[in-house]
Amino acid sequence: MTSRVWVKFFLTTLLVGGITTGIVGFIVRWDEFEHLFVNFEWLEILSVLFWLIGVGLIFSIISQMGFFAYLTIHRFGLGIFKSHKLWNGVQVILILFVLFDLVYFRYKGFADSGDSMLPYFGLAAVILIVGLIVAFMKVKTTNKVSFIPALFFMIVATTIEWVPVLRVNEESWIWLMVFPLLVCNAYQLLILPKLNKESAAQRVRLQANKSSN
């Protein structure tokens, strides 16, 4: 990826994270902000919006760090196992383990005595459903081989990025963080092939210009 395309990638992902968090923040924390709209306190609304966008930029940076770490791990995994099928099998095991952790360990860590485990399936279900949708979209834009890696990234990487808030277990923050992470991760995963083609085209143009000179 050329530096120009990388900067474009970085900035657009920042924008996606900021806008998503700005929207999601007012939805998931509506109880806190409803009075601002009822009383038409526009300065306060703008203040909160800018704060949410700032938080979203942080979420976006976390997402981008996770994405580039995933690309490194993916290449490392292929190098170790020497086979897409074997590496995909390892990724499936890790996906199942992470989904199990999202349910069982959160239940053991935060549930009161006598609480049902059923509500703790919600977070895992959201991550799984979004991950499957994005993975199917990735297959349509690339090939079938990309399904498991895309699902792995959307589930495992998102959960790892999400860990600081999961440990606190504050519901509003859990949802405030996960949706921007999912959107940013999906955006990066789906836009990467297009940006790689754009980078390749730029290299061809640069080489042609050098040759002409």
Side-chain angles (χ1 to χ4, degrees):
M1 186 180 292
T2 62
S3 58
R4 183 180 299 178
V5 173
W6 181 84
V7 170
K8 176 182 176 181
F9 183 55
F10 175 75
L11 293 177
T12 54
T13 308
L14 278 180
L15 185 62
V16 168
I19 292 174
T20 304
T21 307
I23 295 170
V24 172
F26 281 112
I27 295 173
V28 300
R29 305 182 71 172
W30 180 248
D31 290 345
E32 298 178 36
F33 304 136
E34 181 181 7
H35 70 280
L36 299 179
F37 290 89
V38 173
N39 298 322
F40 300 104
E41 298 179 25
W42 299 113
L43 289 178
E44 288 293 327
I45 292 171
L46 287 175
S47 176
V48 171
L49 178 61
F50 285 129
W51 176 78
L52 288 170
I53 290 174
V55 171
L57 298 182
I58 296 172
F59 292 163
S60 174
I61 291 172
I62 293 171
S63 170
Q64 294 188 61
M65 291 170 62
F67 184 62
F68 285 103
Y70 159 75
L71 293 177
T72 302
I73 291 170
H74 183 62
R75 288 298 173 189
F76 188 67
L78 286 174
I80 291 177
F81 295 102
K82 307 296 183 182
S83 166
H84 277 285
K85 288 185 178 180
L86 188 56
W87 173 228
N88 282 348
V90 173
Q91 289 181 91
V92 168
I93 293 172
L94 291 173
I95 289 169
L96 294 175
F97 180 74
V98 166
L99 290 174
F100 174 80
D101 281 357
L102 274 176
V103 177
Y104 182 74
F105 285 108
R106 289 191 68 252
Y107 174 76
K108 294 294 288 184
F110 300 111
D112 295 325
S113 179
D115 283 353
S116 170
M117 187 182 286
L118 190 61
Y120 289 85
F121 281 91
L123 292 178
V126 169
I127 293 291
L128 177 59
I129 291 169
V130 174
L132 287 170
I133 292 171
V134 174
F136 279 116
M137 293 172 66
K138 182 69 173 177
V139 167
K140 288 185 177 181
T141 58
T142 52
N143 53 60
K144 293 181 180 180
V145 176
S146 64
F147 180 82
I148 295 300
L151 188 63
F152 176 86
F153 174 65
M154 290 302 299
I155 293 176
V156 177
T158 299
T159 303
I160 292 172
E161 294 162 0
W162 200 18
V163 163
V165 171
L166 288 174
R167 286 179 174 175
V168 177
N169 201 41
E170 172 61 42
E171 185 176 358
S172 64
W173 275 99
I174 284 175
W175 295 113
L176 178 62
M177 187 174 191
V178 72
F179 285 115
L181 286 179
L182 287 171
V183 172
C184 287
N185 286 345
Y187 172 78
Q188 292 177 97
L189 199 61
L190 297 174
I191 200 69
L192 185 63
K194 179 181 178 181
L195 295 180
N196 284 337
K197 290 180 181 178
E198 187 176 334
S199 287
Q202 284 187 7
R203 288 194 182 95
V204 170
R205 288 197 297 269
L206 288 172
Q207 190 64 37
N209 290 335
K210 288 181 181 179
S211 299
S212 63
N213 293 332

